[in-house]
Amino acid sequence: MKQLLSTHIFSCVELERLALDNCCLRSPPTFCGLPNLLRLELYRVVYENISLGEIITRSPSLEILKFRQGEITLVDIAKLKNLKELVMPLYLLDHSAITSSLIVDLGTCLPNLQMLSLDFLDYQFLGDLVGTERVPASFPCLESLALYQIDFSCKTKLMFAFEFIRYSPKLQTLRISAKYNDAVPHSANFLSELNSIQLGLPQLRIVMLLNFRGSEEEILPIKKLLAGSPSLKKINIYPLSSKVFGSDNGKLMVATKLLKFHRASPSAEVEINWF
């Protein structure tokens, strides 16, 4: 059973940092906000008479927001003009109103955002795929991007990930966690569409790819990142399992293919961490 926190916590108007886990929140009728709150982390929290959206919109100074539960909309998040770090699962957003284009447009409302982590688990995009002609350079200050549970068998999500990376010109670190739905067949021009997207990231230094299994959908972005990142230092690859390559010969074939790719950075390394 989760512990019910005292409502007095909402009276601490000088509070600058708040991290809560495995508890229940109830606000007093007089709650007007936490004007000095800079950092908010909420995990396994139940909200009784107040929503997560109400808490953050009444905390206008927030610079760091991390949460795993709670009702919230992109409109709520867009009000946090000082936000520098955001960690959230996409499935908590209002599905009826969210498209990939709208998520990218969020960057124009958060001009100071430097670190972003999105979890795509159990999330389904609605609306059209992001089009290259419609996407602005939305995240001008973003330095660190983590995209978890990206479905590499889903054209919409994978294309969105490409566009997200492409329009983050100051990106320095990139982390992608892959998953697959083998029951979904790819269209004949799937890889051709991916190949049409150019990735030029002058400041990118570190890339980490998790759950790698050597598919063409994974190898293609590695090729593009190597060719378009003159400051790149290392791409760390963590296979889903050594078994996905079949044998030592399979491992060698994947490694050989990666070694042949052109590199804009002469010091760039590709390291495959075999199990």
Side-chain angles (χ1 to χ4, degrees):
M1 184 175 181
K2 298 184 184 297
Q3 179 181 359
L4 177 62
L5 293 186
S6 169
T7 58
H8 291 303
I9 193 170
F10 290 103
S11 302
C12 303
V13 293
E14 298 301 321
L15 192 67
E16 294 185 358
R17 298 186 179 189
L18 179 61
L20 300 175
D21 188 0
N22 195 31
C23 62
C24 180
L25 282 180
R26 179 188 298 163
S27 71
T30 55
F31 176 61
C32 295
L34 298 170
N36 295 298
L37 192 64
L38 300 176
R39 184 184 186 109
L40 177 62
E41 298 183 46
L42 300 172
Y43 307 105
R44 296 185 297 174
V45 172
V46 173
Y47 307 87
E48 281 208 349
N49 62 341
I50 190 170
S51 69
L52 173 59
E54 290 176 292
I55 295 175
I56 70 166
T57 54
R58 297 177 189 181
S59 306
S61 299
L62 271 179
E63 295 181 354
I64 300 174
L65 174 61
K66 302 179 181 183
F67 62 92
R68 299 297 304 177
Q69 286 179 296
E71 296 178 4
I72 197 167
T73 68
L74 283 180
V75 175
D76 295 330
I77 297 174
K79 294 177 181 179
L80 302 176
K81 304 301 182 182
N82 298 318
L83 201 63
K84 295 180 180 179
E85 297 185 20
L86 175 61
V87 178
M88 68 175 182
L90 286 175
Y91 72 87
L92 293 180
L93 297 175
D94 180 5
H95 285 207
S96 63
I98 302 304
T99 65
S100 51
S101 296
L102 188 56
I103 293 174
V104 173
D105 289 342
L106 179 65
T108 61
C109 301
L110 303 175
N112 299 311
L113 195 65
Q114 298 174 10
M115 193 280 284
L116 177 62
S117 177
L118 299 176
D119 191 335
F120 286 74
L121 183 64
D122 297 328
Y123 185 78
Q124 297 296 324
F125 279 123
L126 298 178
D128 294 334
L129 178 68
V130 175
T132 55
E133 71 282 0
R134 298 189 289 120
V135 183
S138 294
F139 293 88
C141 295
L142 196 65
E143 297 179 356
S144 177
L145 175 63
L147 303 175
Y148 292 101
Q149 300 292 332
I150 287 285
D151 189 348
F152 272 66
S153 57
C154 175
K155 172 182 173 181
T156 304
K157 292 182 180 180
L158 191 51
M159 289 288 280
F160 170 68
F162 264 64
E163 294 289 1
F164 215 131
I165 296 166
R166 178 186 180 188
Y167 290 100
S168 303
K170 293 189 177 180
L171 201 62
Q172 296 181 22
T173 62
L174 172 64
R175 183 185 182 103
I176 297 178
S177 155
K179 73 171 187 177
Y180 285 88
N181 182 357
D182 292 325
V184 178
H186 290 164
S187 62
N189 62 347
F190 184 36
L191 287 176
S192 177
E193 290 183 49
L194 291 178
N195 197 41
S196 67
I197 300 176
Q198 300 302 314
L199 297 180
L201 299 168
Q203 299 185 36
L204 186 66
R205 295 178 178 275
I206 302 295
V207 177
M208 183 177 295
L209 181 58
L210 306 176
N211 298 334
F212 180 83
R213 68 178 195 180
S215 71
E216 290 299 320
E217 292 80 15
E218 293 169 319
I219 289 176
L220 184 56
I222 294 174
K223 178 181 179 179
K224 287 184 169 293
L225 289 171
L226 285 170
S229 307
S231 300
L232 189 64
K233 298 299 182 184
K234 179 173 283 191
I235 296 181
N236 285 303
I237 298 174
Y238 294 87
L240 179 64
S241 166
S242 60
K243 295 180 181 179
V244 301
F245 301 100
S247 63
D248 289 340
N249 185 53
K251 296 179 185 179
L252 180 60
M253 290 177 63
V254 172
T256 301
K257 182 179 293 188
L258 297 178
L259 284 173
K260 291 181 178 180
F261 291 153
H262 169 70
R263 306 184 185 199
S265 169
S267 60
E269 299 179 0
V270 178
E271 182 175 318
I272 305 178
N273 298 273
W274 306 110
F275 290 99

